Amino acid sequence: MNKLYQKKHELWLHITFASFAINDESIKSRLYEFSLIAFRHMKWMGTDILERGDDYNYDRNMQLYKTKSVFEVIKALQSVVTSTQALYPDTILGTRAKTDDNYLLEYLRQILADDTNNQEITAFNMQRIWNNGELDASQTDALTLFLFEELYKEYELILVYAYMQERTSNALHFNVFQDLIDESHFHLKSFGNMMAKLGILALPRELHEMTYIVKDLEKFVHDGIAEEEAAKEMCKQLSESIHEEKLSKFFDFINYQESYHIELMKKLL
């Protein structure tokens, strides 16, 4: 089950980043829905592992291939889904995961059956051009740095909060963790799509186990509030430095959301 959990973690990332890489809004949206299903599988598998008296971690062994066409992305994803299916146990949960993945494979086959879907992938071209060059070099550098830092932060928070949620019996804690997980999914999606638009899409670095094995909840929450406050300041600075109104308004929007995250975390105290 621990090996399966790792493969499911990797599959969640593969589906998520495939959705970021593809420009077609219909395919992008559908794949992202499948990625959230894969994340729910992770949650259920984590619960099952803990109920058996075992444990899991967030180790992973994967690469994000710098593909140049939609069909390359889809074929690589097909391979990962198929290899993961071989590990599902003969249980109710295993059957649910396998049948969900069977439908994902069917959807991928539908994409491949239509040659008009095979569009160019620009998510890895490193051109760093936003909307036909609306940002100058310094603004582009600031946006690039922000996205790399914040993509990792959101990935980290999703996994850390999920890890802690699995281990609490306190209803308030559980609900706060769920809210924070949901919010971080939205931010991860937003920043991942922006990185793809700039041609700099990349996986966040792997988590060290000391990141998510929390032994002092109060210290963790205080540190988390400080991290959110730092993110708010980064959003504010970015909004002020980028002279592109839609982008600036977006970072104001994220800044206000971070304010509410702080209030959610204060509930944990």
Side-chain angles (χ1 to χ4, degrees), residues 73-221:
V73 173
I74 298 304
K75 289 175 181 177
L77 187 53
Q78 276 183 320
S79 178
V80 177
V81 175
T82 302
S83 66
T84 305
Q85 279 197 318
L87 298 174
Y88 291 137
D90 186 18
T91 62
I92 294 173
L93 175 55
T95 299
R96 164 64 194 260
K98 190 167 187 176
T99 53
D100 282 352
D101 284 4
N102 282 341
Y103 188 66
L104 171 57
L105 288 170
E106 172 58 28
Y107 177 65
L108 299 180
R109 284 191 289 269
Q110 292 172 15
I111 295 173
L112 294 173
D114 185 350
D115 287 339
T116 63
N117 289 325
N118 196 20
Q119 304 298 313
E120 180 185 9
I121 294 292
T122 58
F124 309 105
N125 64 18
M126 303 297 290
Q127 289 188 3
R128 297 204 309 143
I129 297 174
W130 185 266
N131 285 354
N132 300 316
E134 292 181 3
L135 304 182
D136 62 25
S138 64
Q139 293 169 2
T140 302
D141 287 345
L143 177 60
T144 299
L145 179 61
F146 175 87
L147 291 175
F148 272 102
E149 291 186 356
E150 290 301 296
L151 187 84
Y152 170 75
K153 189 197 96 169
E154 300 302 341
Y155 169 66
E156 174 192 70
L157 291 179
I158 288 169
L159 295 185
V160 171
Y161 292 140
Y163 193 88
M164 296 173 69
Q165 186 186 52
E166 289 279 12
R167 290 159 175 77
T168 184
S169 57
N170 182 300
L172 172 63
H173 292 184
F174 187 95
N175 288 332
V176 169
F177 290 142
Q178 187 60 56
D179 287 337
L180 291 168
I181 291 167
D182 292 342
E183 294 278 281
S184 290
H185 272 299
F186 172 73
H187 288 189
L188 182 78
K189 176 184 177 182
S190 299
F191 300 148
N193 282 325
M194 292 174 74
M195 291 178 75
K197 191 171 182 177
L198 283 171
I200 57 172
L201 185 61
L203 281 173
R205 64 186 181 273
E206 191 174 345
L207 268 64
H208 189 279
E209 66 173 15
M210 295 310 294
T211 307
Y212 53 88
I213 298 178
V214 177
K215 297 184 178 179
D216 186 338
L217 179 58
E218 187 167 345
K219 181 179 183 302
F220 167 80
V221 175

